[in-house]
Amino acid sequence: MRRSWLFFSLGSVSQVCQVVLLRELLTLAEGTELTIAFVLGSWLTFVAFGSFAATKLLTRKGQRLDPALSYSVASALLAASVFFDLWLIRFSRTLFSLPPGEPLSVAQWLAVTIATLLPICFIVGAQFAFAASLANPSGVYIAESVGAVVAGALLSLLLLRWFDHSSLSSFFLALHLLLSSVLLWLHRPNARWVSAAISAVAGLSLVFAPLVEQKTQAVFWRSMFPAAEEVHSVASPYGSIAAIKFSDQLSVYQNGHLLFTLPDQGDMASLAHLILLQHPKPRRVLLIGGLGGWVQATLQHPKVVGVDWVELDPTIPQVVFSLLLSRERNLLSDPRLRRYTADGRSFISQARQTYDVVIVVAPDPTTAASNRFFTKEFFSEVLRVLRPGGVFALHGLREPPAGFGELYFARNHCVYATMFKAFCEVLVVPSSPLTLLGQCPANSSPPNELAKLTLDEQTLLQRAKERGLEGINLFAFTDPIQVERVNYELKTGLPFNPLEREQARVLRPKWLNSDINPTVYFLSSLLWLRMGSEKVARLLEFFVFLPRWSIWLLALLPFGFWLVGRIRSANWAAPATTIVVISGVGMLAELTVLLTFQARFGTLYLQVGLLFALFMLGLALGALVAERNEVSNSVRALALLSIATLTSTLVWLGLVFCFPQLPPAVVAILCGCFMVLFGCLVGAAFPLTVKAMRQSGIDESKAAGLTYAYDLVGGALGAFIFGAILLPLWGIPNLLFLCALLCFAAATICLAQAKLP
Amino acid sequence: MPDRREFIRNLLFGGIGAFAAICSNCQFASSQIQRKNSSTPLVEIPQRWWKPLPNNRLQCFICPSNCVLSDGQVCGCNTRLNVNGRLMTMAYGNPCIISVDPIEKLPLHHFLPGSQTLSIATAGCNLRCLYCQNWQQSQVRPDQLRNYNLPPAEAVKKAKEHGIQVIAYTYTEPVVFWEYAMDISERAKSEGLKNVVATALFMNREPIREWCKVTDAFAVALKGFDDEFYRKVVGAPLKPVLDAIVTVKSEGVWLELVTLIVPTLNDNMKQIREMCLWIRRNLGTQVPLHFGRFVPEYKLRNLPRTPVQTLEQCRDIALDVGLQFVYLFNVSPHDANHTYCPKCKTAVIRRLGFKVTSNDLQRGICPKCKTRIPGIWQL
Ligand code: SF4
Ligand code: SF4
């Protein structure tokens, strides 16, 4: 067991590679949950392949591999692969001869993703199998989990803020290489020169990391935007930020994706004026997001005595203001402006202050993270901080491109209907993207006529004149035809164009958009996919039309899996089925905890990173406890574990419904506890399955390899099918209930197996 | 004892089974979403524009790609296909966009300013601009979108019902639904309506001449003046486009040009000067030229929009070369949105974006110095 701790670095390095490569790959594609799910799912699958292959090589008859030597050589190969991958990702635009600004196509991105992940994951998986044959497999599993926890926490809390990807990877790789050489030294004293060579590789990787980073970044930006006059890039916990000067403009990129360009030629400033003009006397304003013209315009209103401006990533304003002209920089010194670094939603939910105007500049709800600003829970939080007669503006909903009508209309209508349920009046501004204005809680009315929402150009210009604001151009947002069109379309979910309407098929989602039923997010994902790949989107549309009851049929899957195993007379079919189920359920439960936490507290990567770490901690604890306790019948123990998972899932389901009523601190603590609990359950499944397989006659290293692979298969299924597709479509409550059924099926199978001869 | 191979086999069988189940149901799902797909009408294109080849193949002569299509093959422009050795179109009567827009959006600034158009577009395009603003429609086949059923007679009827005097073929590339556009145009013309076309004009001369007979104005996108840029970013050579523009001019149809300036790709000032000189030499100084501002879209969504300074530089060059009517497009408010009298420099038509805020022209004549401003000012 003591030697198992040498494999601690395997967990750390794999965690760091996963984070670094995920962030790098997202610079080449849009970072929605689907892309993330693909990367994570592929990661698990390829690691499983690596583990399988290595298990096979270790257990074959005749020439067997030396596990210590293989482990160490694999560490050196891993280091080489990571640096090669960083280069490949950043060079890929040049490789495909893409013109400046053009992102990779879906096929190209998939090719790069697979080419980068396959070697690394394969090596990590193989290293686990080598390690499992050098020490106690469960001990290795525990050490690996602890390594991942520590690396995850360090990355989230400290390292990602200060270090670039190459330096981060090289540090952890060096540690891994050194521990590998120690291991080789201990197991094969006669292979000292190999140990020394591996240590040298560790040193080299540390020395050359900054150079690799600098050169590869230069390659990337040269292919992306060759005319850039100045590239200023900084690390941020949310991804690398680059500010690029070009002519009289400043463009800000996050993870290689254009965020915005300044100055914004007045479009957003005019929109901010239009919103503030809705209120007769706006004194206190809350602005969530929205660099560019928003802040300037808000401060121009003479009655405004305070603007609270909330930005998630402090790096962006810092970079922007350090490069902007002094006039814009002076903004920061306006005593009325208070800047906060926080997640907009959690700021609102915890705010003690109330406001006359609340403006939220949100991205289109194509991700679960941005969907949080379009849900009924969020709208009721906004109403809490809105003074009587106050105005709420939500900017960020994209309009449908022609020909994609139905899904788009359905999605935008769902946002409107959700908002209409919360506010007594909702008015849509034909900006690009759309802005929705809301006022007063539903079932009440504005305090007076003057305070009513309006998009009448003359009225608004008159108000602007009274406030001494001249030269404001509101036409783009008040054109009567456009105003009528967008309001009609969002209100009815139908096209305004009568010709189009005649032939339109109404696709109205039955549910309002909520944190636990993110309908808008799912419809957005479909749209996003449909623009990228018609075929994939059609495949997913299949799920939209599935009758609701069909979800419960999925609970039969474990029986199918087990039966196939039985038919093939695999007497380890029950433990294999159980570990697939528990890993899948664990992955899904982990996702639901994250989503619930995220909905309440925001996309604060730091806390989300900590939650991941808690899960890994649970994993290590669960494995440790299950490993230490001798059980006479492991299959029966797995049945009990399934029942424990079932109970935990149901308790968690009950809590999800109570969360809106609970104080934030309690929610945070409960989320943390359940992360550990679900981690424990998944972690305990590993040693129990290994034991059950061994009891069915398989030798130890093969049992460990198989278990690891099935564990990853379950995780991948949980991430791909449940997390990416079914969760947004069917919502958290239904899926948690399905999880409980799956656990029930696994428990039944184990009990049945225990009874069979 | 089952081994890795068995495991993979199990996974594979399970996967194939699930995939088959999904596909069989997918048919059902997609038939609900895209009702019209199964009935996308096919209309035969007159043999004048293509020639049959052995083995049921054929060659199309509508655009300079001059595609040779084998039986069953759909062409690169996404609308035409070879069905049993005959050239058919999927676009006829099958538009994906029908909307009412200001004519300034095409952009046409010297053609009935302030009037509205009934804009029609089908899916498809014979080019592949990496920054296409309508890529969701232009880069797919009609059967991949939800379309209207709008025969030519119906289109003209709708325009008249809504009191619209001008029908515009725009958004995507009218060259790919040219047969349909021609039929609407003929009807519209016979009923006293006007036809205008916004196009990249990658088309052969003969069909252009035919088109000019029924069209009142062309807004042609001359996307740059560098063959390499055209091939790499637009997906076609430059020369045929220049020839086509000269053909339109020689047919006497009203013509305006628009060039979208894309940062780093076609913002070389030397080339802009060459382009302006070519325009002066081949089309004269009175052809209005619009410099458009690129906004990040489609494949170039990570390029920043064009700095206004760059557009102003382009405009200065064009004015310096001697072109008389040079506008900025997609930048508003801006003084270069207005029409100025070339002689007395009075702003005779003022615009805010696509909206005409004042029009002081009197039957096309400057109210101050009485200079005639070229264009079509009355129905
Ligand atoms: S119109 Fe279409 S089929 Fe005809 S030549 Fe051009 S691309 Fe080919
Ligand atoms: S020609 Fe027009 S429609 Fe066709 S791809 Fe280019 S911009 Fe798009």
Side-chain angles (χ1 to χ4, degrees):
Chain A
M1 184 75 194
R2 210 174 299 141
R3 223 164 249 191
S4 309
W5 290 104
L6 283 175
F7 304 109
F8 157 94
S9 64
L10 179 60
S12 332
V13 92
S14 125
Q15 179 75 15
V16 171
C17 289
Q18 197 182 69
V19 172
V20 164
L21 290 181
L22 176 65
R23 283 162 66 113
E24 286 285 329
L25 286 167
L26 290 184
T27 61
L28 305 178
E30 302 285 349
T32 74
E33 275 79 357
L34 286 179
T35 28
I36 297 172
F38 182 81
V39 172
L40 295 183
S42 313
W43 183 280
L44 295 174
T45 315
F46 297 155
V47 173
F49 277 135
S51 178
F52 258 124
T55 308
K56 190 74 190 167
L57 285 174
L58 285 169
T59 53
R60 72 178 168 176
K61 291 189 187 83
Q63 258 189 335
R64 285 170 65 127
L65 276 184
D66 177 338
L69 188 63
S70 310
Y71 184 86
S72 308
V73 172
S75 297
L77 285 177
L78 185 67
S81 309
V82 172
F83 285 111
F84 174 74
D85 279 2
L86 284 175
W87 172 82
L88 178 66
I89 291 172
R90 292 171 186 180
F91 191 68
S92 57
R93 297 179 38 77
T94 317
L95 208 66
F96 291 115
S97 312
L98 295 175
E102 182 179 346
L104 270 64
S105 69
V106 175
Q108 288 166 340
W109 183 78
L110 288 177
V112 173
T113 303
I114 292 170
T116 48
L117 294 188
L118 190 59
I120 287 187
C121 298
F122 195 85
I123 295 172
V124 168
Q127 281 202 299
F128 183 87
F130 296 143
S133 68
L134 286 168
N136 175 341
S138 301
V140 174
Y141 187 72
I142 294 163
E144 198 210 10
S145 307
V146 172
V149 174
V150 174
L154 280 176
L155 279 182
S156 308
L157 294 176
L158 298 170
L159 304 178
L160 282 172
R161 289 161 185 251
W162 293 314
F163 296 104
D164 56 63
H165 289 167
S166 307
S167 310
L168 273 179
S169 325
S170 68
F171 174 74
F172 283 91
L173 281 168
L175 181 72
H176 186 50
L177 285 163
L178 284 176
L179 290 182
S180 306
S181 62
V182 171
L183 184 89
L184 186 60
W185 196 289
L186 293 174
H187 278 267
R188 292 272 303 267
N190 56 347
R192 287 202 182 132
W193 62 271
V194 185
S195 299
I198 288 171
S199 307
V201 176
L204 283 178
S205 76
L206 276 177
V207 171
F208 284 108
L211 193 69
V212 171
E213 178 69 19
Q214 198 194 357
K215 294 277 177 219
T216 50
Q217 280 285 1
V219 164
F220 178 77
W221 283 109
R222 236 193 341 269
S223 70
M224 189 72 168
F225 194 28
E229 289 156 17
E230 192 184 327
V231 181
H232 184 84
S233 63
V234 277
S236 138
Y238 305 97
S240 84
I241 305 292
I244 290 189
K245 268 198 156 181
F246 174 56
S247 186
D248 57 345
Q249 295 186 156
L250 181 74
S251 297
V252 177
Y253 288 77
Q254 185 176 41
N255 285 332
H257 296 288
L258 182 61
L259 282 185
F260 56 83
T261 299
L262 293 174
D264 76 357
Q265 301 300 323
D267 290 357
M268 292 305 113
S270 306
L271 187 56
H273 284 305
L274 179 136
I275 294 165
L276 278 130
L277 289 170
Q278 301 297 322
H279 196 285
K281 275 192 212 131
R283 291 174 58 77
R284 293 215 61 88
V285 180
L286 172 62
L287 179 60
I288 308 284
L291 268 165
W294 294 90
V295 187
Q296 287 106 311
T298 309
L299 288 167
Q300 277 170 20
H301 285 250
K303 295 247 161 46
V304 169
V305 294
V307 178
D308 289 346
W309 178 28
V310 184
E311 265 287 339
L312 179 61
D313 189 347
T315 333
I316 299 176
Q318 267 164 23
V319 171
V320 169
F321 283 107
S322 68
L323 293 175
L324 275 183
L325 304 170
S326 57
R327 188 173 57 84
E328 268 110 351
R329 227 178 302 164
N330 287 343
L331 257 184
L332 282 185
S333 52
D334 190 313
R336 294 175 298 163
L337 182 69
R338 276 190 295 183
R339 284 171 60 199
Y340 296 90
T341 299
D343 169 72
R345 176 146 177 199
S346 73
F347 184 90
I348 288 182
S349 72
Q350 288 163 31
R352 300 244 164 84
Q353 173 81 261
T354 54
Y355 300 91
D356 298 305
V357 178
V358 174
I359 303 173
V360 175
V361 182
D364 192 60
T366 36
T367 65
S370 50
N371 184 62
R372 305 157 52 238
F373 292 101
F374 296 80
T375 62
K376 65 178 186 200
E377 290 87 350
F378 176 61
F379 296 147
S380 53
E381 285 163 13
V382 168
L383 277 168
R384 197 184 58 75
V385 298
L386 214 52
R387 292 178 178 170
V391 174
F392 167 57
L394 176 58
H395 173 77
L397 193 67
R398 274 182 72 167
E399 277 214 75
F404 287 82
E406 283 156 350
L407 281 174
Y408 243 117
F409 285 123
R411 182 193 86 142
N412 288 2
H413 169 69
C414 185
V415 172
Y416 182 93
T418 308
M419 197 156 155
F420 196 71
K421 190 88 179 157
F423 293 88
C424 78
E425 214 192 325
V426 177
L427 193 59
V428 189
V429 185
S431 54
S432 174
L434 295 172
T435 307
L436 284 92
L437 301 174
Q439 197 180 32
C440 308
N443 308 323
S444 67
S445 53
N448 56 52
E449 228 3 73
L450 209 66
K452 276 191 111 177
L453 299 175
T454 177
L455 289 178
D456 179 63
E457 192 182 11
Q458 290 316 314
T459 312
L460 293 171
L461 288 177
Q462 180 59 33
R463 287 183 192 171
K465 207 167 162 195
E466 285 162 11
R467 292 183 198 178
L469 303 166
E470 298 289 344
I472 298 177
N473 171 18
L474 296 178
F475 176 73
F477 309 121
T478 53
D479 180 354
I481 297 177
Q482 295 305 322
V483 170
E484 196 188 342
R485 178 181 68 77
V486 292
N487 278 280
Y488 179 90
E489 289 182 347
L490 265 79
K491 209 177 274 180
T492 60
L494 286 169
F496 179 63
N497 186 334
L499 279 165
E500 197 174 340
R501 198 160 58 231
E502 273 166 27
Q503 303 184 17
R505 191 175 69 90
V506 188
L507 187 80
R508 282 214 185 97
K510 293 193 193 80
W511 313 281
L512 295 178
N513 190 34
S514 71
D515 289 340
I516 55 173
N517 260 330
T519 319
V520 166
Y521 157 53
F522 181 73
L523 290 170
S524 299
S525 307
L526 274 186
L527 277 165
W528 177 80
L529 263 179
R530 208 169 152 193
M531 288 179 197
S533 161
E534 178 75 13
K535 285 193 188 113
V536 180
R538 282 204 200 165
L539 208 66
L540 287 192
E541 275 170 10
F542 150 81
F543 289 102
V544 179
F545 295 102
L546 273 183
R548 282 229 125 189
W549 53 261
S550 58
I551 180 177
W552 311 122
L553 291 182
L554 291 175
L556 298 176
L557 275 180
F559 291 108
F561 193 79
W562 177 62
L563 276 178
V564 172
R566 291 293 309 174
I567 290 165
R568 296 175 169 273
S569 57
N571 46 5
W572 45 268
T577 309
T578 312
I579 196 157
V580 170
V581 168
I582 293 183
S583 301
V585 168
M587 174 65 81
L588 186 77
E590 185 190 351
L591 283 174
T592 61
V593 179
L594 279 175
L595 280 181
T596 318
F597 183 87
Q598 193 186 44
R600 189 75 181 253
F601 301 99
T603 48
L604 295 178
Y605 278 41
L606 310 182
Q607 282 125 336
V608 170
L610 274 186
L611 283 177
F612 271 127
L614 285 176
F615 184 82
M616 301 302 287
L617 184 71
L619 219 60
L621 282 177
L624 197 65
V625 172
E627 169 63 19
R628 290 264 161 102
N629 289 305
E630 274 308 315
V631 279
S632 55
N633 188 333
S634 305
V635 177
R636 201 164 290 153
L638 278 172
L640 284 178
L641 191 69
S642 306
I643 292 168
T645 315
L646 182 154
T647 318
S648 314
T649 312
L650 289 179
V651 174
W652 172 244
L653 173 61
L655 281 174
V656 166
F657 283 108
C658 302
F659 277 166
Q661 280 79 45
L662 296 179
V666 177
V667 175
I669 292 170
L670 282 172
C671 284
C673 292
F674 270 83
M675 265 315 212
V676 179
L677 177 62
F678 286 124
C680 273
L681 294 166
V682 177
F686 185 86
L688 288 179
T689 310
V690 175
K691 284 178 194 169
M693 288 207 175
R694 276 171 50 202
Q695 279 165 9
S696 70
I698 305 179
D699 79 62
E700 178 156 3
S701 59
K702 183 167 182 181
L706 280 176
T707 306
Y708 193 54
Y710 280 116
D711 186 16
L712 295 170
V713 168
L717 284 177
F720 270 138
I721 310 282
F722 290 111
I725 302 169
L726 299 184
L727 183 73
L729 178 62
W730 281 324
I732 292 176
N734 282 319
L735 272 218
L736 283 178
F737 198 70
L738 173 67
C739 285
L741 288 181
L742 287 167
C743 291
F744 180 75
T748 316
I749 288 168
C750 285
L751 290 174
Q753 169 96 19
K755 290 234 164 84
L756 284 174
Chain B
M1 181 129 340
D3 57 10
R4 176 181 59 119
R5 233 170 290 127
E6 255 180 70
F7 167 77
I8 294 175
R9 214 179 304 142
N10 286 351
L11 258 189
L12 212 63
F13 288 150
I16 291 170
F19 188 75
I22 286 176
C23 291
S24 60
N25 277 293
C26 194
Q27 213 47 38
F28 154 72
S30 59
S31 68
Q32 286 201 20
I33 285 259
Q34 303 203 344
R35 294 157 297 101
K36 265 196 76 181
N37 290 356
S38 51
S39 59
T40 301
L42 293 180
V43 172
E44 189 170 345
I45 296 172
Q47 252 220 24
R48 190 175 159 199
W49 308 115
W50 56 276
K51 77 166 183 217
L53 297 173
N55 300 327
N56 258 4
R57 290 180 315 136
L58 59 83
Q59 184 167 23
C60 170
F61 297 117
I62 296 172
C63 87
S65 298
N66 297 326
C67 304
V68 174
L69 301 176
S70 47
D71 195 5
Q73 192 182 348
V74 180
C75 76
C77 63
N78 272 329
T79 57
R80 302 187 173 98
L81 70 165
N82 176 347
V83 180
N84 292 331
R86 316 203 66 78
L87 186 63
M88 306 282 220
T89 170
M90 290 186 261
Y92 196 94
N94 216 11
C96 61
I97 301 177
I98 309 170
S99 70
V100 178
D101 297 307
I103 199 159
E104 282 72 19
K105 201 173 169 184
L106 260 75
L108 282 176
H109 279 12
H110 291 229
F111 190 92
L112 305 177
S115 58
Q116 302 252 290
T117 64
L118 178 78
S119 309
I120 295 175
T122 75
C125 180
N126 55 346
L127 300 177
R128 300 276 169 273
C129 306
L130 297 179
Y131 52 79
C132 180
Q133 305 286 313
N134 299 306
W135 61 274
Q136 292 102 333
Q137 296 86 33
S138 71
Q139 302 304 313
V140 293
R141 297 190 310 267
D143 62 331
Q144 289 174 307
L145 290 182
R146 210 179 47 74
N147 300 312
Y148 308 107
N149 182 14
L150 192 76
E154 193 66 14
V156 176
K157 195 171 136 214
K158 291 284 173 201
K160 291 179 96 174
E161 264 173 25
H162 289 84
I164 296 169
Q165 303 287 345
V166 185
I167 300 186
Y169 310 93
T170 172
Y171 284 104
T172 57
E173 177 48 71
V175 168
V176 303
F177 59 92
W178 173 66
E179 309 78 15
Y180 176 45
M182 283 288 287
D183 282 3
I184 302 178
S185 302
E186 273 163 18
R187 262 175 194 276
K189 200 172 172 75
S190 67
E191 301 204 21
L193 302 184
K194 301 278 182 205
N195 295 293
V196 295
V197 175
T199 170
L201 213 60
F202 187 64
M203 198 179 197
N204 285 333
R205 276 195 201 154
E206 265 318 293
I208 293 179
R209 289 205 181 102
E210 248 346 79
W211 211 355
C212 287
K213 289 180 191 157
V214 289
T215 300
D216 299 282
F218 277 90
V220 178
L222 176 55
K223 293 169 187 282
F225 208 66
D226 172 25
D227 191 58
E228 197 193 331
F229 164 80
Y230 247 86
R231 285 177 192 273
K232 231 175 152 175
V233 178
V234 177
L238 168 65
K239 173 88 176 32
V241 178
L242 297 179
D243 293 346
I245 292 173
V246 173
T247 309
V248 169
K249 183 71 188 168
S250 64
E251 291 294 310
V253 182
W254 181 252
L255 170 72
E256 299 192 21
L257 296 175
V258 52
T259 303
L260 195 82
I261 302 294
V262 188
T264 74
L265 293 179
N266 67 348
D267 58 355
N268 180 324
M269 294 303 151
K270 205 171 136 232
Q271 274 168 13
I272 299 285
R273 181 172 289 277
E274 277 170 25
M275 181 179 87
C276 295
L277 287 168
W278 180 87
I279 294 172
R280 194 182 70 182
R281 256 194 329 271
N282 294 278
L283 312 171
T285 57
Q286 297 205 325
V287 170
L289 171 63
H290 305 256
F291 286 110
R293 184 181 205 190
F294 160 85
V295 284
E297 243 329 320
Y298 190 32
K299 297 199 169 167
L300 298 189
R301 56 185 176 271
N302 283 326
L303 260 194
R305 63 187 178 209
T306 324
V308 178
Q309 264 181 14
T310 311
L311 294 169
E312 286 169 346
Q313 268 177 318
C314 295
R315 183 169 186 260
D316 289 347
I317 290 175
L319 291 172
D320 184 50
V321 163
L323 302 190
Q324 292 181 2
F325 304 99
V326 188
Y327 299 93
L328 294 194
F329 184 65
N330 271 354
V331 186
S332 166
H334 197 285
D335 286 347
N337 294 159
H338 313 320
T339 302
Y340 297 91
C341 169
K343 193 165 168 210
C344 68
K345 310 292 178 215
T346 308
V348 285
I349 303 176
R350 290 185 168 273
R351 299 181 183 85
L352 186 62
F354 301 137
K355 188 186 178 191
V356 174
T357 52
S358 70
N359 183 351
D360 299 333
L361 277 184
Q362 291 158 354
R363 293 174 173 268
I365 291 178
C366 168
K368 203 166 159 204
C369 68
K370 307 294 175 209
T371 301
R372 171 167 291 282
I373 311 290
I376 296 180
W377 310 107
Q378 276 165 331
L379 271 171

